[in-house]
Amino acid sequence: MNKYLLSSISFFTLALRKKMLCNRLLLLFVFLSAPQFVAAASAIKINNNIYMAQGSSNISSNTFMVITNQGAVIIDTSSPAAAPQHYEMLKAISSVPVRYIIITHGHGDHTGGIELWKESGTHVIAQNNLIELLDYQTRLNGFFAVRNAKQAGKPIPVVSNPNPGNYAGQNPADILFDKKYQFTLGELTFQLFSTPGETPDHLSVWIPELQAAFVGDNFYNSFPNIYSLRGTKPRWALDYVQSLNKVLSWKPRLMLPSHGMPVSGNATITQKLTQYQNAILYVHDAVVAGMNTGADVFTLMNSIQLPPELYVGEAYGRVSWSIRGIYEGYAGWFDANPSSMYSEPPQVALSELVSLANGVDNIIQRAQEILLSSGNAVLALHLADAVLAADANNTDAWTLRRDALVKLKDLSTNGIEKNWLQSGIDEATAKLNSP
Ligand SMILES: [Zn+2]
């Protein structure tokens, strides 16, 4: 099956899944672009100016090429792994000089192809906060190398320079701006606005002549990662809401997210963005209301749910993680329990409790019963951890832990959750296989 057919089928599958078959204009993109599609391997023609090389889920961003009569503008460059293929696809569409590269934010799945696309005289544009974001990511190089690999389901790398220093980020941009930056190239105007959300340096691009809004990672076909499990500074929910308001105010007729497919038609875009920001605001306000009445974070994680009309899916971010992210973003780590002021964690009591339970066998047996009968794999997982706190080499506990993680993975519909569960399964398997 050739690449065109494969890409067309995946596009139709996506469209069906998202109930977007009625969106005739998007389908038209595919059919009208068929000749260019073949020529470009699998780049997608969006309109006469905009072409897209599609990224892979949340692993690599889309790369957009906006062609004017004075040269091209690249918006996001995808990951280092995907960038060469995106470059090849889009260069096959047009080899006009690349005048500008715009980076919607400094995550590695967007910056990986900057050097590839840069030509003599190409300007790279980003928002001011890119500098600190890159310093932060580089400052914690050893930490993020492991956490990013686990979250992406990749092998743990050997990190040659885990601690490069506080200000070792490499800034690729020669044009930085605070609130707004505007330039004209050929027949098109590019208006760049600071729109913090996914990151503090996040920007969105508005091309008024095309009524097109490039929204980066501030819109996904899923609830956002207001907290990312790999570790992140707080991503402020109210920033997302205000940034999406800015995009809505442009009344776009074409919305181009950096992950997933474009959306066309102002009514559809308005409905999607409004639903998205209302979902974020609903969760934020419920957390704040809970905090103000003294609720603890776990109570809120268990009790706050999106109403059906605001449910936007959880294939990427999960609402419960964001609830904790919002709570701890505002409050920090202290839970107001004096026990938590000290460096001894609650786990120090577990080995005592295990020894009082007439041996680990009782606990293991009870946890296996729970896993089999009620299916409460999280409770079984905690009991396995309790035994391991008392006996770190207990084979039965490692087996129980692996079985509980496998069960949770089987139940999960979230890619990030699955990858973290798999990293735990791999750890338990390695432990069980070690002599
Ligand atoms: Zn991204």
Side-chain angles (χ1 to χ4, degrees):
M1 195 176 290
N2 67 37
K3 286 181 179 177
Y4 169 64
L5 279 174
L6 272 173
S7 300
S8 298
I9 288 167
S10 67
F11 175 79
F12 274 109
T13 306
L14 186 73
L16 277 165
R17 199 177 300 138
K18 303 302 176 191
K19 297 181 181 175
M20 287 169 64
L21 269 177
C22 59
N23 191 336
R24 282 177 286 169
L25 198 55
L26 256 183
L27 294 178
L28 206 58
F29 289 150
V30 174
F31 289 118
L32 289 180
S33 66
Q36 293 85 352
F37 213 72
V38 173
S42 60
I44 297 173
K45 181 179 182 181
I46 308 300
N47 59 30
N48 285 336
N49 295 95
I50 303 173
Y51 290 79
M52 178 180 99
Q54 189 177 4
S56 168
S57 183
N58 61 320
I59 303 297
S60 55
S61 83
N62 300 328
T63 303
F64 295 100
M65 175 184 262
V66 185
I67 301 167
T68 79
N69 57 25
Q70 293 292 315
V73 176
I74 300 300
I75 300 177
D76 280 341
T77 65
S78 203
S79 64
Q85 192 192 14
H86 286 200
Y87 180 85
E88 194 179 316
M89 288 180 207
L90 291 165
K91 273 292 183 186
I93 297 286
S94 173
S95 58
V96 296
V98 174
R99 302 292 190 196
Y100 296 90
I101 300 168
I102 299 170
I103 299 302
T104 63
H105 61 290
H107 280 162
D109 58 318
H110 298 249
T111 59
I114 293 175
E115 291 308 315
L116 204 56
W117 282 103
K118 252 172 98 172
E119 301 168 4
S120 170
T122 304
H123 292 292
V124 181
I125 314 178
Q127 200 274 343
N128 271 334
N129 292 324
L130 176 75
I131 305 292
E132 165 52 20
L133 183 83
L134 294 177
D135 282 341
Y136 156 69
Q137 290 176 164
T138 310
R139 189 179 301 144
L140 293 166
N141 190 39
F143 174 86
F144 280 130
V146 174
R147 299 274 288 248
N148 289 347
K150 288 187 174 184
Q151 180 148 317
K154 294 179 178 170
I156 307 298
V158 177
V159 184
S160 59
N161 186 13
N163 195 23
N166 287 337
Y167 305 104
Q170 297 293 311
N171 168 32
D174 62 308
I175 297 175
L176 291 163
F177 69 96
D178 183 22
K179 296 290 185 196
K180 181 183 176 185
Y181 183 81
Q182 178 171 321
F183 65 92
T184 301
L185 187 68
E187 70 276 30
L188 298 181
T189 312
F190 295 78
Q191 298 179 346
L192 286 59
F193 292 85
S194 167
T195 50
E198 167 91 0
T199 59
D201 68 316
H202 194 282
L203 65 84
S204 299
V205 183
W206 173 234
I207 304 178
E209 293 86 354
L210 302 177
Q211 298 289 288
F214 295 81
V215 296
D217 283 10
N218 278 353
F219 175 82
Y220 259 92
N221 275 317
S222 165
F223 199 80
N225 253 338
I226 289 180
Y227 175 80
S228 175
L229 296 184
R230 64 176 161 70
T232 181
K233 292 182 184 181
R235 298 175 176 180
W236 302 114
L238 294 181
D239 280 355
Y240 274 95
V241 173
Q242 288 170 11
S243 293
L244 293 172
N245 262 340
K246 184 163 288 186
V247 175
L248 279 165
S249 74
W250 303 334
K251 299 184 170 41
R253 299 178 67 176
L254 179 62
M255 176 172 76
L256 303 111
S258 289
H259 297 273
M261 294 300 289
V263 180
S264 66
N266 181 252
T268 306
I269 293 167
T270 300
Q271 183 273 324
K272 282 184 176 289
L273 290 184
T274 304
Q275 181 194 39
Y276 205 65
Q277 66 171 180
N278 283 345
I280 294 169
L281 192 59
Y282 180 94
V283 172
H284 169 270
D285 288 356
V287 172
V288 168
M291 291 175 78
N292 283 330
T293 54
D296 68 86
V297 68
F298 294 107
T299 298
L300 298 180
M301 286 173 76
N302 281 310
S303 61
I304 298 172
Q305 289 189 329
L306 285 170
E309 68 275 15
L310 294 182
Y311 188 72
V312 292
E314 295 182 89
Y316 179 55
R318 285 196 57 174
V319 170
S320 60
W321 303 337
S322 290
I323 290 166
R324 189 167 183 178
I326 293 165
Y327 194 115
E328 296 188 355
Y330 279 138
W333 58 265
F334 185 52
D335 61 0
N337 178 352
S339 305
S340 303
M341 290 192 293
Y342 304 100
S343 59
E344 290 85 353
Q347 285 80 352
V348 297
L350 290 179
S351 60
E352 289 291 321
L353 291 171
V354 169
S355 68
L356 292 170
N358 296 322
V360 297
D361 290 348
N362 285 338
I363 300 171
I364 297 283
Q365 187 182 342
R366 177 65 187 135
Q368 286 168 337
E369 287 169 7
I370 290 168
L371 195 58
L372 287 173
S373 59
S374 71
N376 190 340
V378 175
L379 178 54
L381 188 60
H382 284 316
L383 288 171
D385 286 348
V387 173
L388 292 171
D391 178 4
N393 295 312
N394 188 290
T395 302
D396 290 336
W398 278 109
T399 304
L400 175 65
R401 181 174 161 81
R402 185 193 60 195
D403 293 348
L405 292 167
V406 167
K407 186 151 198 167
L408 286 166
K409 190 182 173 201
D410 288 345
L411 295 170
S412 175
T413 55
N414 178 287
I416 291 171
E417 181 183 16
K418 280 177 185 282
N419 285 344
W420 279 107
L421 291 167
Q422 187 60 49
S423 80
I425 293 166
D426 292 343
E427 182 194 19
T429 304
K431 189 75 183 175
L432 289 165
N433 290 341
S434 63

